[in-house]
Amino acid sequence: MKNTILALLLIFSLGLMAKAQELNTNPILSPWAEKVDPSKPLPDYPRPQMVRDNWTNLNGPWDYAIVEKGSSKPNSFQGKITVPYPVESYLSAVMKPVGASNELWYRKSIQISNDQRKGRVLLHFGAVDWEAEVFINGQTIGKHQGGYDPFSFDITDYLSKGQNQELAVRVWDPSDEGPQPRGKQVNRPRGIWYTPVTGIWQTVWMEYVPENYIAGLKVSPDWDNGTFKILPDLNVGQGDFKVAVSAFDKGDLVGQAEAFSGKPIILKIPDPKSWSPEHPHLYDFQVRLMRGNRVVDEVKSYGALRKITISYDENGMQRMALNGETLFQYGPLDQGWWPDGLYTAPTDEALLFDIEKTKDLGFNMIRKHVKVEPARWYYHCDRLGMLVWQDMPSGDMGNVWEPKPGIYRKGLDRERSPESEAIFRKEWKAIIDAFYHFPSIVVWVPFNEAWGQFKTKEITEWTQAYDPSRLVNSASGGNFELEGNKLVGDIFDVHNYPDPVMPSPDLFGKVNILVLGEYGGLGLPIEGHTWQEKDNWGYQSFKNEEELWARYQRLIGDLKFLIPKGLAAAVYTQTTDVEVEVNGLMTYDRKVIKFPAEAMRKLHKGLYE
């Protein structure tokens, strides 16, 4: 704990000395940067949890302009930007800052045929940071606030005659000058704080649906009974509609069920197979909207049977259980940043690479740290069998630290403004709604290290009630509120660098899962693979890979010693280097793995045994 405080003080002092920086216009590049086709980047279907064939990807070249905040739509634009890469990124082909005093405008001509206009035309945005106002043919069709959740508009009634339409988007993002969730973005990058991300950073696409259509699916596994509860969200008019679901196991039909509009569908699976990191079994779904015997709409989806709960060992200590079996969870802190795309992976292959490499190194879990990924990232975790702890992106960062981090005292929660609270609550709910589908997510983390932590008990209990199918880590490494003889939430989580420690089981008794939410941070800069040539940073630095590996082995030995004492999970910092941080398992460009993969995999195996 002492080391954590010293490290934070060091980072704070570095921040005071930092001057406003220009963007790094000559970054290192990942191997996938050269594979990006600017005319059609990230062409993959963006919503794997509910798939339709009839869609158009709008990624690629758009017009852009950066203008003073409050200006009207510009008459002329300043050049081309490659969507969906953030305007500050190399892959956007712009690499310009925006800031709170300006707005970023996008414009694109789109074509919609008469056949595509027979029903409804939906315009989807994977994510836009932070406030987006969307225009079709000069008319505003809606505004969205939230940098991490997907949103859409029905644009049918705003379309002009003919095929050609004009799409424009106005974006405002105050970065760390506003109270909104923004993770580690700051206007003056330094230390553990990184380059701002402004604007469209996930896929933009259109979908063509009938007048009556399936708008969404909520799929809930019931592992104990071998069933799925599927609640369709329907956009339908008058009439008797029903939804029919068929389940397939590797192409073989294994179950069918149906229900009338507004009713949940209970889908029984005979001889059910569980999902786990060792056996990530997925069932495929065909979902049809029926009116009488006629199929009105159809989508494809999938699901997995798994259950995450609390179990108790022979000493009465709480553990995490997957499908009724105790499982030690161990994974890296994964921040999801890229030297060329910042928040946006260059390609789907690149997005997948980090998960595959994490699995190859012998981890069974990833803590997605103060960032939310595109839906395809979670889909890959589902396919590969990777457990996920999902953080809420932090914001409104005034910290109120307890002298002994990890313990809560009354009055230490941050006082947020009504606007700030409303923004947090709205986006946290939107994130849970958007990513509820993915079985790989087993833990929600509302707060990290007291960053903007407020009304801890209320937010934690709301999260538990809103999604009782997952565990809740109320404040990873932050302040924890005592209620009776128990801490609020399911987990007591401390951070410590570099050595592993665990929360004291004697502090509150055996009433919470004990977790080491961050540790490690062993740094090794690799020449030719760093964000900047010098002044790179790690919690503890080494001269070569041999020294680094020797120190890591000692950390694992110490960690293994804590498991029989009650430690239920641990998170190592971190998956990759990020900007000036060099404490990754890999370099920022992903070209160098700093650890021997086979040896590390064998070392980690001992943690699970």
Side-chain angles (χ1 to χ4, degrees):
M1 307 301 290
K2 181 179 179 182
N3 290 336
T4 302
I5 296 171
L6 291 174
L8 289 166
L9 289 173
L10 172 62
I11 294 164
F12 180 71
S13 64
L14 289 172
L16 291 177
M17 293 185 290
K19 297 181 180 179
Q21 297 181 12
E22 296 294 327
L23 297 179
N24 184 349
T25 56
N26 188 31
I28 53 175
L29 302 179
S30 72
W32 301 276
E34 64 183 18
K35 298 181 180 181
V36 173
D37 179 353
S39 67
K40 48 181 179 180
L42 292 168
D44 310 274
Y45 191 81
R47 191 186 59 197
Q49 69 271 37
M50 197 177 89
V51 178
R52 275 196 181 89
D53 294 331
N54 202 8
W55 71 290
T56 299
N57 193 317
L58 297 180
N59 293 344
W62 292 44
D63 300 320
Y64 87 92
I66 299 172
V67 300
E68 185 178 354
K69 187 177 187 296
S71 302
S72 58
K73 178 188 167 187
N75 294 320
S76 61
F77 285 73
Q78 296 162 3
K80 295 290 185 180
I81 183 171
T82 304
V83 169
Y85 304 107
V87 67
E88 297 91 347
S89 72
Y90 170 88
L91 288 174
S92 72
V94 177
M95 297 191 77
K96 292 180 181 178
V98 180
S101 61
N102 293 319
E103 292 174 332
L104 172 63
W105 279 83
Y106 295 83
R107 183 182 66 183
K108 185 178 180 66
S109 295
I110 57 177
Q111 289 74 44
I112 304 175
S113 69
N114 289 333
D115 284 344
Q116 293 167 333
R117 295 172 64 164
K118 287 181 178 178
R120 311 301 296 178
V121 180
L122 308 181
L123 174 64
H124 295 271
F125 294 83
V128 182
D129 197 2
W130 172 71
E131 178 183 275
E133 185 175 8
V134 181
F135 302 80
I136 296 291
N137 299 318
Q139 297 183 72
T140 180
I141 63 170
K143 184 185 294 185
H144 178 268
Q145 291 183 336
Y148 300 93
D149 58 305
F151 60 97
S152 62
F153 299 105
D154 184 336
I155 64 172
T156 312
D157 297 336
Y158 297 89
L159 300 177
S160 301
K161 293 182 178 180
Q163 295 191 15
N164 294 325
Q165 316 290 329
E166 184 190 72
L167 167 60
V169 182
R170 177 194 61 81
V171 175
W172 177 65
D173 178 18
S175 189
D176 56 336
E177 295 183 46
Q180 82 290 348
R182 44 91 177 174
K184 288 197 171 185
Q185 304 174 56
V186 292
N187 288 311
R188 294 185 296 117
R190 73 273 183 192
I192 67 169
W193 311 105
Y194 316 136
T195 304
V197 170
T198 302
I200 298 170
W201 68 274
Q202 289 186 29
T203 293
V204 186
W205 53 296
M206 288 189 298
E207 185 179 29
Y208 314 105
V209 300
E211 289 289 340
N212 300 292
Y213 63 93
I214 301 167
L217 297 172
K218 184 175 183 179
V219 178
S220 301
D222 182 348
W223 181 83
D224 291 302
N225 295 303
T227 63
F228 291 98
K229 178 182 176 182
I230 301 173
L231 185 60
D233 177 17
L234 304 179
N235 192 311
V236 295
Q238 297 296 319
D240 292 330
F241 293 89
K242 65 180 179 180
V243 178
V245 180
S246 300
F248 298 86
D249 184 357
K250 294 180 170 56
D252 296 327
L253 180 65
V254 294
Q256 290 180 301
E258 62 181 39
F260 283 100
S261 174
K263 303 292 184 181
I265 301 158
I266 306 301
L267 181 62
K268 178 71 175 176
I269 304 296
D271 301 318
K273 300 172 184 176
S274 299
W275 181 97
S276 69
E278 297 80 16
H279 304 286
H281 192 85
L282 300 178
Y283 290 95
D284 295 314
F285 299 146
Q286 180 189 62
V287 185
R288 290 177 169 175
L289 176 63
M290 311 287 294
R291 191 171 191 177
N293 294 322
R294 184 167 64 91
V295 177
V296 177
D297 189 23
E298 180 178 335
V299 297
K300 297 176 182 177
S301 187
Y302 71 92
L305 290 169
R306 70 98 182 94
K307 179 182 180 181
I308 184 73
T309 52
I310 298 171
S311 64
Y312 295 84
D313 66 18
E314 62 275 10
N315 298 316
M317 301 300 298
Q318 290 195 13
R319 304 286 183 172
M320 293 183 179
L322 183 68
N323 307 327
E325 298 289 334
T326 297
L327 176 65
F328 185 80
Q329 296 188 24
Y330 184 54
L333 192 78
D334 190 313
Q335 307 205 61
W337 285 74
W338 296 84
D340 33 38
L342 299 179
Y343 257 17
T344 310
T347 66
D348 192 65
E349 180 186 6
L351 193 72
L352 174 61
F353 175 84
D354 283 1
I355 307 168
E356 289 180 324
K357 187 52 61 178
T358 301
K359 185 104 175 172
D360 187 48
L361 292 173
F363 297 96
N364 64 5
M365 175 263 284
I366 292 171
R367 179 182 167 205
K368 180 53 65 176
H369 187 45
V370 294
K371 185 203 176 190
V372 176
E373 294 289 356
R376 291 192 63 85
W377 187 87
Y378 302 92
Y379 167 62
H380 291 318
C381 288
D382 292 346
R383 290 193 306 106
L384 297 178
M386 183 59 71
L387 300 168
V388 175
W389 296 13
Q390 179 60 57
D391 287 12
M392 170 64 178
S394 45
D396 208 351
M397 296 290 223
N399 297 10
V400 186
W401 281 97
E402 158 65 33
K404 296 178 180 178
I407 308 301
Y408 172 87
R409 283 185 182 172
K410 189 118 179 114
L412 284 188
D413 272 359
R414 174 164 171 71
E415 291 290 334
R416 287 202 183 192
S417 68
E419 177 195 22
S420 175
E421 279 199 30
I423 289 170
F424 179 97
R425 293 175 189 273
K426 180 182 178 182
E427 189 154 5
W428 185 221
K429 178 182 181 297
I431 288 169
I432 294 175
D433 287 340
F435 299 96
Y436 176 90
H437 174 91
F438 301 104
S440 53
I441 300 176
V442 293
V443 175
W444 296 119
V445 187
F447 299 110
N448 174 75
E449 289 190 355
W451 295 352
Q453 185 177 344
F454 75 102
K455 296 186 177 177
T456 306
K457 182 176 183 292
E458 184 178 337
I459 297 298
T460 300
E461 291 181 346
W462 178 89
T463 305
Q464 289 176 308
Y466 195 64
D467 183 6
S469 71
R470 293 176 169 96
L471 302 177
V472 178
N473 183 355
S474 64
S476 182
N479 298 321
F480 284 77
E481 181 169 353
L482 185 63
E483 184 178 33
N485 69 337
K486 183 183 184 299
L487 295 176
V488 169
D490 300 307
I491 295 168
F492 184 16
D493 174 332
V494 297
H495 294 178
N496 191 74
Y497 288 97
D499 296 292
V501 301
M502 64 179 286
S504 170
D506 301 321
L507 196 57
F508 300 110
K510 303 169 182 178
V511 292
N512 289 88
I513 301 168
L514 303 182
V515 161
L516 174 59
E518 290 181 29
Y519 87 106
L522 305 182
L524 176 64
I526 303 292
E527 186 176 353
H529 299 276
T530 56
W531 180 252
Q532 59 189 28
E533 291 186 7
K534 60 180 181 178
D535 298 328
N536 294 290
W537 181 85
Y539 285 95
Q540 185 177 8
S541 296
F542 297 87
K543 296 178 182 178
N544 54 57
E545 293 179 11
E546 290 74 24
E547 287 184 2
L548 179 70
W549 174 234
R551 182 70 173 100
Y552 185 82
Q553 290 178 86
R554 293 199 299 274
L555 291 183
I556 294 298
D558 294 340
L559 183 66
K560 192 173 182 180
F561 177 75
L562 299 175
I563 297 174
K565 295 179 177 295
L567 187 68
V571 177
Y572 178 81
T573 300
Q574 60 184 330
T575 305
T576 72
D577 297 347
V578 183
E579 299 201 353
V580 303
E581 285 190 72
V582 291
N583 42 34
L585 301 165
M586 300 180 274
T587 54
Y588 197 17
D589 58 12
R590 277 72 167 175
K591 292 180 180 179
V592 178
I593 312 299
K594 301 180 187 180
F595 294 86
E598 184 177 356
M600 178 172 265
R601 189 165 56 249
K602 290 179 179 178
L603 186 67
H604 292 164
K605 188 176 180 181
L607 299 175
Y608 312 128
E609 295 173 346

